[in-house]
Amino acid sequence: MDAVGSALGNRSPSDRTLNNFVRCTQYPSVRVAQHQKLEFGKICSYGNITLRKHARALKIFQCGDKVPDVSNSSEEKGWSVSPLRKNLAIFVSGGGSNFRSIHNASANGLIHGDVVVLVTDKLGCGGADYARDHDIPVIQFPKLRDSLEGLSPTDLVIFLRKLKVHYILLAGFLKLIPIELIQAYPRSILNIHPSLLPAFGGKGYYGLKVHKAVIASGARYSGPTVHFVDEHYDTGRILAQKVVPVLANDTAEQLAARVLREEHQVYAEVVSALCDERVVWREDGVPLIRSRDNPDEYL
């Protein structure tokens, strides 16, 4: 038995976490197109090769057809090679609306990656229910005190490595990410926060508490922030933000709904850029997103 299996112990096959662990280790790390063309816009996949067409319609290749040459000469023919699909782990504590948005974007071809596992501290939350309904493995973290449920930080790292996870996305996960995970996934963990950081961030600022504080401050604008995760709450490098107005008679619930609509859009856009390998780092450590259409421009 491997390290994670030993850590989980010899529990009954009916145990939910163990079942999910066994199922996860068998989950494919890369979802490969089988003979047919998968297309979204100008992007097509043939097996584990993804090609992007700059001009003219794509030829439909049938089973047994020769895949176009994607060597250096293929750039001259209008083809460029896109990165392989990325494996995503999403962490939630509640309903998981951002998780659902990212999963839908992936299913619809907007994100060049797959959600291979959901991590939660609350196995009964709405996000976990959605994952099970869509055959996405669910595991519990952190490990509960005096309980066999859940994984320790070290075991979680081993587990995510087994799944070949490339990026970790926090989507309403209320626990502080342990240093073991941050060290194992440098510049590879993202979070979304419902205010324009660095304002109204930090420990205790979550959910409606954020929006109430924004309104009470008299701020005229708010909006979501996508940022990289470090060892503290909401202090990692900012990657993207969207601005929404704070109206004179707003309630916290009204402002939250307006911000959430922008959250769903900006998080999916950022994850798409991440999976396309369009996130670059400036010399001073500031992350930037390259434009898909013009690599010399930044979003």
Side-chain angles (χ1 to χ4, degrees):
M1 184 178 295
D2 58 33
V4 178
S6 299
L8 289 174
N10 298 319
R11 281 177 274 166
S12 165
S14 63
D15 180 88
R16 183 186 306 177
T17 303
L18 181 57
N19 281 342
N20 285 333
F21 171 75
V22 172
R23 183 168 49 160
C24 282
T25 57
Q26 298 171 346
Y27 200 76
S29 60
V30 177
R31 196 171 295 169
V32 178
Q34 298 179 352
H35 306 308
Q36 78 275 19
K37 181 183 69 173
L38 301 180
E39 181 172 359
F40 183 82
K42 298 180 181 178
I43 301 172
C44 293
S45 296
Y46 301 87
N48 63 352
I49 297 175
T50 300
L51 302 173
R52 187 190 305 277
K53 185 64 173 170
H54 298 304
R56 300 195 306 274
L58 287 164
K59 175 183 176 183
I60 299 177
F61 290 85
Q62 304 297 333
C63 179
D65 285 349
K66 184 178 179 180
V67 175
D69 176 27
V70 292
S71 61
N72 291 336
S73 62
S74 44
E75 279 290 343
E76 300 174 2
K77 301 173 185 177
W79 298 97
S80 62
V81 180
S82 294
L84 294 178
R85 294 183 72 84
K86 300 299 190 291
N87 291 335
L88 310 173
I90 300 188
F91 288 41
V92 305
S93 292
S97 66
N98 274 300
F99 158 45
R100 300 175 194 221
S101 175
I102 292 169
H103 178 255
N104 287 334
S106 170
N108 291 328
L110 290 167
I111 291 176
H112 199 60
D114 302 298
V115 181
V116 298
V117 65
L118 182 87
V119 178
T120 181
D121 58 322
K122 299 177 181 178
L123 290 174
C125 70
D129 290 340
Y130 176 89
R132 295 186 195 97
D133 289 342
H134 291 80
D135 296 321
I136 298 171
V138 177
I139 62 171
Q140 182 172 326
F141 176 81
K143 183 179 179 66
L144 300 178
R145 182 179 298 179
D146 300 325
S147 172
L148 295 177
E149 294 288 343
L151 299 180
S152 69
T154 299
D155 291 334
L156 179 62
V157 170
I158 294 172
F159 179 79
L160 296 178
R161 293 295 195 201
K162 277 183 171 288
L163 292 182
K164 295 183 169 63
V165 166
H166 297 94
Y167 299 114
I168 296 170
L169 311 174
L170 310 186
F173 187 70
L174 301 182
K175 299 293 185 180
L176 188 65
I177 299 301
I179 191 65
E180 293 91 337
L181 202 59
I182 293 169
Q183 291 175 344
Y185 285 89
R187 293 183 172 181
S188 300
I189 307 176
L190 286 181
N191 181 47
I192 189 161
H193 184 77
S195 75
L196 296 174
L197 293 176
F200 308 105
K203 187 174 182 179
Y205 278 98
Y206 61 89
L208 287 180
K209 293 181 179 180
V210 173
H211 305 296
K212 289 178 180 178
V214 169
I215 292 172
S217 74
R220 301 306 197 262
Y221 296 95
S222 189
T225 299
V226 179
H227 65 96
F228 283 94
V229 173
D230 58 19
E231 62 272 24
H232 306 293
Y233 285 107
D234 304 326
T235 59
R237 290 288 192 171
I238 292 171
L239 183 56
Q241 292 179 314
K242 291 284 187 177
V243 176
V244 302
V246 180
L247 305 181
N249 298 317
D250 263 344
T251 64
E253 290 78 9
Q254 289 169 333
L255 180 57
R258 195 177 306 118
V259 171
L260 187 61
R261 284 193 294 270
E262 295 297 332
E263 285 185 37
H264 293 164
Q265 180 178 345
V266 69
Y267 212 0
E269 290 174 352
V270 168
V271 174
S272 176
L274 200 64
C275 292
D276 287 346
E277 299 180 2
R278 290 187 288 114
V279 175
V280 297
W281 292 78
R282 214 165 60 187
E283 290 184 359
D284 60 357
V286 172
L288 302 170
I289 298 176
R290 287 189 185 275
S291 167
R292 178 183 282 111
D293 299 323
N294 185 351
D296 293 327
E297 293 182 356
Y298 299 91
L299 305 178

